[in-house]
Amino acid sequence: MRRDNQSSVSEFLLLGLPIQPEEQGMYCALFLAMYLTTLLGNLLIILLIRLDSCLHTPMYFFLSHLALTDICFSSVTAPKMLMNMLTQTQSISYVGCICQAYFFLLFGGVDSFLLTSMAYDRYVAICHPLHYTTIMSQSLCFLLVIVSWVLSFAGSLVHTLLLTRLSFFRDNTLHHFFCELAALIKLSSSDTTINQLVILTVGTVVISVPFVCILVSYGHIGATILRRPSIKGICKALSTCGSHLSVVSLYYGAIIALYFVPSSNSSKDKDVIVSVFYSLVTPMLNPFIYSLRNRDMKGALENVLSRGIFSA
């Protein structure tokens, strides 16, 4: 039946992950465990930051929003993927597919901007320590978070509105486990020139510019450390920035491998696997990175546990 947006499909077929049918059960259990770990780990971070007054600082304010965004980001793709694996179905409705693409872009963009805000916070803390409390005021922190959501909302909305104008006459089979924007555009029988231009433009604003800002921030941090090199200063900088650098490396490393490394038709499976890492593995690892490499988070967890034991 023909839609008002000139699409001839009422649903899409998701081919899912490149795994054998007999291995579906094992991988389904694995991804369910990963998803639950993501939920519990990031919820724990949010809870610790809320309960421990020592963590009421700009860095942990951004971290709590990053944890919330990671929960939403994983929840966009994981439940549908797990449901399809359990029920052995591949279909997703046209509306559901468009919504999934929209929210994936939204939360992915917020992640990028929040990581940039955290890099700026580290830059101010190391390069301008005497003015840190003045610069990183509560109003600036709220403004950075609001701007992150507004820009991400605008970018994902533009992508989605342009996507709904495309026609899908030739095929409705996606070689993916979720409705990824580039994969959807490749299926369209319409002229996608505008879509490609918007992807380049919005991608520059949402991914490239924040990444450059992060590199500039850490460039200034490195220059500041090298001006007064000392073992103590280097160790302090690593303890302050180590966790954030690890998360940035995971996040942007996956994006570069997925969107900036040239791919061919024979590398579709590689793109799907990298997407799993980008959308499921990275959000799961973030709580471990911040808890295992951060003394403040460990101390907050010990305080909460000790209070719980004594109250019991």
Side-chain angles (χ1 to χ4, degrees):
M1 185 170 59
R2 189 179 180 88
R3 291 176 174 269
D4 292 334
N5 64 359
Q6 298 183 342
S7 173
S8 61
V9 300
S10 60
E11 64 179 21
F12 290 95
L13 297 179
L14 300 173
L15 293 185
L17 301 171
I19 56 179
Q20 299 299 320
E22 60 272 14
E23 298 176 340
Q24 290 275 347
M26 178 183 67
Y27 278 98
C28 183
L30 173 63
F31 289 127
L32 177 60
M34 290 171 58
Y35 179 57
L36 292 177
T37 302
T38 300
L39 295 181
L40 295 176
N42 284 289
L43 284 173
L44 179 61
I45 284 182
I46 296 171
L47 181 65
L48 290 177
I49 293 173
R50 292 282 294 176
L51 293 179
D52 196 318
S53 58
C54 295
L55 301 181
H56 293 175
T57 63
M59 181 65 179
Y60 294 106
F61 173 76
F62 293 130
L63 178 57
S64 64
H65 282 272
L66 182 69
L68 176 62
T69 305
D70 281 340
I71 291 173
C72 299
F73 190 48
S74 293
S75 298
V76 171
T77 57
K80 180 60 179 176
M81 181 188 72
L82 292 170
M83 185 183 301
N84 286 359
M85 294 176 75
L86 284 172
T87 60
Q88 298 294 310
T89 59
Q90 297 176 315
S91 64
I92 182 172
S93 67
Y94 175 86
V95 174
C97 191
I98 298 298
C99 289
Q100 191 179 59
Y102 168 78
F103 285 110
F104 185 83
L105 293 168
L106 172 64
F107 295 124
V110 175
D111 254 1
S112 180
F113 287 119
L114 287 176
L115 289 173
T116 308
S117 299
M118 295 168 78
Y120 178 70
D121 173 77
R122 296 300 83 199
Y123 157 74
V124 176
I126 294 176
C127 299
H128 304 283
L130 299 179
H131 303 285
Y132 178 77
T133 54
T134 304
I135 297 174
M136 296 304 298
S137 62
Q138 189 178 52
S139 58
L140 177 63
C141 294
F142 277 111
L143 178 62
L144 289 173
V145 170
I146 292 171
V147 169
S148 299
W149 280 97
V150 170
L151 290 178
S152 301
F153 170 79
S156 56
L157 182 62
V158 170
H159 280 309
T160 306
L161 291 176
L162 289 175
L163 188 61
T164 58
R165 295 171 60 87
L166 299 181
S167 303
F168 298 92
F169 293 127
R170 291 194 300 264
D171 193 7
N172 70 333
T173 303
L174 285 166
H175 192 93
H176 225 297
F177 66 94
F178 73 100
C179 293
E180 199 257 343
L181 179 64
L184 282 170
I185 289 176
K186 288 179 182 178
L187 286 184
S188 175
S189 54
S190 305
D191 181 8
T192 60
T193 304
I194 296 178
N195 297 74
Q196 299 290 351
L197 288 174
V198 171
I199 287 176
L200 181 61
T201 304
V202 176
T204 300
V205 174
V206 175
I207 300 298
S208 300
V209 171
F211 184 55
V212 170
C213 291
I214 291 173
L215 293 179
V216 170
S217 296
Y218 277 104
H220 282 290
I221 290 172
T224 300
I225 295 172
L226 292 177
R227 286 196 204 103
R228 299 182 296 274
S230 66
I231 300 297
K232 183 179 179 181
I234 294 173
C235 291
K236 183 178 180 181
L238 288 175
S239 65
T240 303
C241 305
S243 299
H244 182 253
L245 273 174
S246 300
V247 173
V248 167
S249 300
L250 287 172
Y251 181 83
Y252 285 100
I255 289 178
I256 291 170
L258 186 59
Y259 295 110
F260 292 93
V261 176
S263 60
S264 61
N265 291 332
S266 60
S267 64
K268 288 181 178 178
D269 288 349
K270 183 268 292 182
D271 292 342
V272 175
I273 293 171
V274 174
S275 295
V276 171
F277 187 87
Y278 170 53
S279 60
L280 294 176
V281 178
T282 301
M284 179 192 71
L285 291 178
N286 288 355
F288 291 100
I289 292 172
Y290 278 103
S291 61
L292 295 176
R293 301 188 60 176
N294 191 301
R295 286 180 295 180
D296 293 336
M297 293 297 295
K298 290 180 187 177
L301 180 59
E302 291 172 359
N303 290 338
V304 171
L305 291 176
S306 62
R307 277 187 288 179
I309 292 172
F310 286 123
S311 62

